């Protein structure tokens, strides 16, 4: 498996990943602006601008986007975004990481693998404690977080979406 930052080399795979989510009406957590970007090049450009504190769009925090690509068929099976630090919304509701797995590829351990691969990258960014949230009742996401050392802190109500979010922390050791 490749855990890589987006490049236009994966143009068709990015289109297919986005299409799969749009067709099933599922949320695209951890994909940044992918839902809004019909053109993969626009999404790659947006993802690149989000990495740099000087070019990140106003209202967002710097973030690094990753794709989990299965090497044998070059299919994007998941995406994950690391937010480098918090704004008030992320501190309460969103956390450091967002991720999703293609609906056709779920229940195969890809989310846990992405999270495991992302934690050293968080450490490289100077993050010592990683906050991850998941919607209450999302047992797959909860198991993914727990499998990677997540410790439950609390549940908060997010009023804009009308959902309860469970908050978990993963302490990064040396």
């Amino acid at each position: 498996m490749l855990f890589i930052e987006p490049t236009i080399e994966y143009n068709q795979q990015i289109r297919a990943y986005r299409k799969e989510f749009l067709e099933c009406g599922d949320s695209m957590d951890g994909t940044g602006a992918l839902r809004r970007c019909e053109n993969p090049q626009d999404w790659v450009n947006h993802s690149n601008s989000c990495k740099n504190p000087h070019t990140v769009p106003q209202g967002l925090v710097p973030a690094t986007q990753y794709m989990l690509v299965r090497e044998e068929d070059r299919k994007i099976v998941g995406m994950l975004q690391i937010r480098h630090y918090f704004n008030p919304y992320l501190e309460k509701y969103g956390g450091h990481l967002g991720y999703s797995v293609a609906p056709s590829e779920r229940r195969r351990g890809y989310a846990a693998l992405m999270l495991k691969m992302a934690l050293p990258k968080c450490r490289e960014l100077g993050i010592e404690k990683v906050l991850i949230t998941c919607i209450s009742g999302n047992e797959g996401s909860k198991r993914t977080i727990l499998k990677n050392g997540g410790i439950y802190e609390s549940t908060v109500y997010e009023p804009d979406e009308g959902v309860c979010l469970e908050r978990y922390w993963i302490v990064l050791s040396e």
Side-chain angles (χ1 to χ4, degrees):
M1 299 300 283
L2 301 173
F3 190 59
I4 57 173
E5 293 183 35
T7 68
I8 200 57
E9 173 188 349
Y10 289 90
N11 176 39
Q12 293 306 317
Q13 295 88 337
I14 294 166
R15 282 185 194 280
Y17 191 85
R18 180 179 182 271
K19 182 179 182 217
E20 187 171 343
F21 277 89
L22 291 175
E23 286 178 350
C24 74
D26 209 344
S27 66
M28 289 187 231
D29 299 326
T31 65
L34 185 59
R35 181 174 291 281
R36 295 188 315 272
C37 294
E38 288 185 36
N39 180 343
Q41 183 66 63
D42 293 342
W43 178 70
V44 170
N45 292 345
H46 178 82
S47 297
N48 287 335
S49 72
C50 285
K51 278 181 62 174
N52 184 327
H54 303 292
T55 59
V56 66
Q58 187 163 354
L60 300 178
V61 300
T64 306
Q65 184 69 54
Y66 292 96
M67 307 181 307
L68 184 67
V69 179
R70 190 169 45 218
E71 288 183 79
E72 49 272 16
D73 62 0
R74 294 175 45 92
K75 181 176 183 179
I76 299 170
V77 298
M79 292 195 187
L80 181 144
Q81 185 183 69
I82 301 172
R83 294 113 186 185
H84 300 183
Y85 54 82
F86 295 142
N87 61 23
Y89 181 86
L90 293 174
E91 186 172 25
K92 188 164 186 181
Y93 304 116
H96 287 104
L97 301 176
Y99 54 85
S100 60
V101 173
S104 63
E105 299 292 338
R106 292 184 179 155
R107 303 183 66 89
R108 298 180 188 175
Y110 292 134
L113 177 61
M114 277 193 300
L115 182 49
K116 180 179 180 182
M117 295 170 104
L119 293 176
K121 296 183 181 299
C122 290
R123 191 177 302 111
E124 289 170 13
L125 289 166
I127 301 168
E128 296 176 5
K129 275 178 67 174
V130 176
L131 174 63
I132 307 172
T133 66
C134 71
I135 294 174
S136 292
N138 184 340
E139 291 303 313
S141 190
K142 179 179 175 177
R143 281 192 304 275
T144 293
I145 297 165
L146 293 172
K147 183 175 185 176
N148 279 279
I151 309 242
Y152 174 79
E153 177 202 70
S154 64
T155 300
V156 296
Y157 179 73
E158 200 283 317
D160 294 337
E161 297 293 324
V163 296
C164 289
L165 297 168
E166 297 177 8
R167 295 167 47 93
Y168 294 86
W169 290 93
I170 298 175
V171 177
L172 301 178
S173 56
E174 292 300 318

